[in-house]
Amino acid sequence: MRSLILRNRVAGLFVSASFCAFGTWIIVSGALGQARDPSRSAASRAQGVTAWEQVYSVLTHARCINCHTATNYPQQGDDRQRHFANVVRGAEGKGVPGLNCASCHQETNADSTGVPGGHNWHLAPLSMRWQDLNDKPLSSAAVCRALTDRSKNHNLDGPGLLKHHEEEALVQWAWQPGRRPDGTMRTLPPLTHEEFVAATRRWVEAGTPCPTRR
Amino acid sequence: MATYQLNVNGERREVTVDPSTPLLWVLREELNMTGTKYGCGISACGACTVHVAGVATRSCMLPVSLVGERPVVTIEAIGKDPVGRAVQDAWVEKDVVQCGYCQSGQIMSAVALLKHTPKPTDTNIEESMGGNICRCGTYVRIREAIKTAAQRLQ
C-alpha cells in the first residue's frame, strides 16, 4: 500500500514537472521567437528612438536644461544666460552658504516678484550635465547615453526614469513655470507633460534605445 | 489684504498687508525695522538680506505670503547670536564700513557663511559673498573681517 502511494506521488511529481517544463518551453520559445523576428525588433527600436527624440526636445528646452549645466553656475531665461548675482553651484548643487538657491527660490513660484520656485530647488548633478562647457547642448545620443547610464543617473532603470519624469516636482515645474519679473508667462517645453510622459513610456517600453550617431 | 503672524527676531508680529508684499517692505514699513535696506529690488545686490529659517534670504523678492511659520532674523537681532556678535565686532575692529548702506546685508550673508563654514577659504568667501555688492568697494576689509571673526570663533 505504501509503495502504491509513493508510486502515485512520484507520478504526480513527474506530471507536474512536465507541465512546468512545457510551460517554460512555451514562454521561452515565444520570447526567442519574438527576439528572432528582426523586422519587429527593428521597428520597436525605431519607435523607441523616435519617442526618445521627443523626450530630448523637452530635455533641451530652457526650462529643463538651464539647470543641467556643465559649469559652476545655473542659467536662466530662454536665451539661457548665466544666472545673475554671481550664483554658483556649490557642493550639493544648491548654491553656497549666504547665496543658496533658497535665498530666492521658495517652495512655489512667486509670481508677484517673478521668482520661480519649487520643492528642493537645485541644480542637477554634473553627471547629468546636458551641455558642454561652452553651454552648448549635447547631442541627442550623448544625452541619451548619460540618461541611461545608471552610474550617472542615481541608478535609475527605465521604470525609474519614467517615474522621475512623471512625478519629480522640479520636472513638473517645467510646465508650471510661473511669471517672469515683467509679468509675462515663461515659455513651456514643446510637449505637454502628458505627452512627455507618454513619449518616455514608449521609449522605456522599447528598451530605452539611444540614437546611434554621436 | 490678509493677516499674517510672523516670527521676527523671536517675537510674534501680526501684519495685515497684501499677500504679494515683499518681506522687505513688511519689515521696513509695517514693523519699522529699517536696518534691512532696499538696494536693487531684484535680488541682485544683497542689501536686503535677512535670515529665514537660518537661510540668508533676499527679502526684496520674498512675498510675505510665502514666509509661513519660518523664523525671520534681521540685522536688528543678529548681534544676539554668538556668530553674529563676532562678525559685528570684527566689522568694527577692521573698520569695514564706508557709506554703510550695504553692510547689514553683508553682515547677514557673512554670518550665514560662518555658521556653515567655520573656517572659510578665500574661495568660500568670494562665492558666498558674491551676491552682496558694495559700491564703496570694501571687499578687502570684508574678507579680513570674516577671517577675523572666524578666528575668534575657533
Side-chain angles (χ1 to χ4, degrees), chain A residues 84 86 97 99 103-104 106 113, chain B residues 42-43 56 58 61 70 128 130:
Chain A
F84 79 111
N86 298 319
L99 195 54
S103 294
C104 294
Q106 305 297 310
T113 56
Chain B
I42 57 169
S43 289
R58 305 295 189 252
M61 294 292 265
R70 295 179 293 172
S128 291

Side-chain angles (χ1 to χ4, degrees), chain A residues 2 10 31 42 48 51 61-62 70 90 96 103 108 110 120 125 133 141 148 159-160 173 189 201:
Chain A
R2 288 182 64 186
V10 170
H61 186 271
V96 290
S103 294
T108 59
N120 192 25
L133 287 169
T148 52
W173 171 86
R201 180 174 287 111

